[in-house]
Amino acid sequence: MDKALRDLLPPKIAEIGAVIGLDAALKLAECWPGVRLYVPKRMSAGHPIAVAIGYKPARALASVYGSDSVTPPMCSRYFRERVKQEMLKEYRAGASASELARKYGVHQFSIYNLAAQKDREKQKDLWS
């Protein structure tokens, strides 16, 4: 993960990530954003948390937060920026703006504007 994306993460994700790993913490935030989540002391492989993030990270979560609850942050800024990066990567790889607009549920001109904005940022960096 690049530094720009990492800087958008709330501190709570780092706290949870230290226990279960950053990928699992982000998956938790993706599945239950801003939702208070009860963590059982004994985690089964079929528990929704274990199914979502994997059994091993779920057991680690239960070892620290078992019989308690955790509220994964929403990470809205992080997820928005990650989607923008994915759209831009696909656009640069040759996907059409109209195809991406349908796939991501955005306006076609949003794709063009995103690409232009990133190009301007690159130009600015060259002159800095």
Side-chain angles (χ1 to χ4, degrees):
M1 174 185 310
D2 68 0
K3 184 179 177 346
L5 273 179
R6 187 177 293 274
D7 288 346
L8 296 175
L9 293 173
K12 184 71 174 176
I13 280 293
E15 179 185 316
I16 297 170
V19 175
I20 64 175
L22 186 56
D23 289 339
L26 287 169
K27 187 65 178 173
L28 208 61
E30 193 173 14
C31 293
W32 293 282
V35 175
R36 189 172 172 193
L37 189 61
Y38 174 76
V39 180
K41 192 139 188 92
R42 293 183 185 205
M43 185 69 65
S44 69
H47 191 279
I49 295 173
V51 171
I53 67 172
Y55 184 55
K56 188 175 180 180
R59 284 187 50 204
L61 186 71
S63 72
V64 174
Y65 294 98
S67 296
D68 203 354
S69 63
V70 64
T71 305
M74 295 183 69
C75 303
S76 302
R77 291 176 38 214
Y78 166 81
F79 287 123
R80 265 194 312 273
E81 187 59 32
R82 191 175 77 179
V83 168
K84 284 181 183 179
Q85 286 185 3
E86 290 171 12
M87 285 189 299
L88 187 60
K89 181 180 175 185
E90 290 179 43
Y91 182 68
R92 300 273 194 237
S96 72
S98 61
E99 174 187 342
L100 293 172
R102 285 189 306 275
K103 179 179 177 180
Y104 289 101
V106 297
H107 197 283
Q108 178 175 339
F109 289 105
S110 296
I111 307 295
Y112 297 137
N113 289 335
L114 177 63
Q117 176 188 357
K118 294 298 179 181
D119 288 344
R120 281 191 304 273
E121 288 172 8
K122 279 185 184 177
Q123 284 288 22
K124 189 177 177 182
D125 289 343
L126 289 174
W127 298 106
S128 297

